[in-house]
Amino acid sequence: MPVRTRVTVPLEFADGYRTTAEVITFTGLADGKEHLALALGDVSSPSSQAPLVRMHSECMTGDVFGSQRCDCGPQLREAVERIATAGGYLLYLRQEGRGIGLYAKLDAYALQDLGMDTYEANRALGHADDERDYTAAAQMLTTLGATEIDLLTNNPDKSRQLRDLGISVRSVRPTGVHASAANVRYLQAKVAHTQHTIELAS
């Protein structure tokens, strides 16, 4: 997949953390969506060093508005700093609500308010637990020459899909646990339903 554009963008987060990203766009991705790769830190290290990569699915409520119902915003903030330090790529994937879209995610929130967990709500709306496909992410990494990576995630499905798509995941590094009173049930559901490696206080 050819690179479409590369542009330098200075970043500043709400807590004052600043860094600079090279934002990369692509043409011909498998799903036709406008995914982004952010190159952070030194990505020109020797080939023996695998870049640190996070595949971050877009979450408008968490990333933009600071919703406390999930851990997406804090994970994004953590990932940018860790990748900028180590050198690598943040893939910002347009897969809102584990692939079901923004409106459906908010419909699922309404069902969660009635007692369902996040996965039960998806099923009640006729969706799978997780509808994300990482074919486009693998295409992006291959285009960037990042065919062996260290992956920043708590989600075992991400490393499994990437390996099936031909990306060598040298190691999996967990993200921090960003638990709050508003999202702890959501995090518990991730552990119970999809075996996320999240250590929650009992």
Side-chain angles (χ1 to χ4, degrees), residues 17 20 29 40 48-49 68 76 80 91 105 107 112 117 149 158:
Y17 173 74
T20 299
L29 294 175
L40 297 158
S48 61
Q49 298 300 312
Q68 296 295 294
L76 177 62
V80 168
L91 305 187
K105 181 178 82 170
D107 292 342
Q112 290 170 52
D117 71 30
I149 66 170
K158 290 183 177 181

Side-chain angles (χ1 to χ4, degrees), residues 108-182:
Y109 277 2
L111 293 177
Q112 290 170 52
D113 289 342
L114 298 177
M116 295 183 186
D117 71 30
T118 178
Y119 298 96
E120 293 166 343
N122 270 28
R123 294 173 202 153
L125 293 169
H127 293 287
D129 286 355
D130 192 334
E131 297 187 356
R132 288 173 293 182
D133 178 282
Y134 298 107
T135 301
Q139 290 176 320
M140 294 161 75
L141 291 171
T142 300
T143 297
L144 295 168
T147 54
E148 181 179 45
I149 66 170
D150 293 327
L151 186 64
L152 184 60
T153 188
N154 294 328
N155 182 353
D157 186 52
K158 290 183 177 181
S159 57
R160 182 165 50 245
Q161 282 202 41
L162 281 183
R163 288 182 173 121
D164 288 344
L165 291 161
I167 301 297
S168 174
V169 179
R170 185 178 70 170
S171 70
V172 176
R173 302 185 188 180
T175 64
V177 178
H178 304 284
S180 69

Side-chain angles (χ1 to χ4, degrees), residues 51-109:
L52 183 61
V53 171
R54 173 160 176 80
M55 300 191 299
H56 185 89
S57 296
E58 177 182 38
C59 176
M60 181 177 287
T61 51
D63 298 342
V64 177
F65 298 115
S67 168
Q68 296 295 294
R69 293 185 70 142
C70 63
D71 57 344
C72 303
Q75 281 192 327
L76 177 62
R77 164 67 182 83
E78 174 197 358
V80 168
E81 184 169 3
R82 288 179 64 178
I83 296 169
T85 300
Y89 299 99
L90 184 134
L91 305 187
Y92 196 81
L93 305 174
R94 313 302 296 275
Q95 300 175 327
E96 184 81 44
R98 296 196 304 276
I100 68 174
L102 179 59
Y103 277 19
K105 181 178 82 170
L106 293 172
D107 292 342
Y109 277 2

Side-chain angles (χ1 to χ4, degrees), residues 38-53:
L38 278 66
L40 297 158
D42 182 7
V43 295
S44 61
S45 57
S47 58
S48 61
Q49 298 300 312
L52 183 61
V53 171

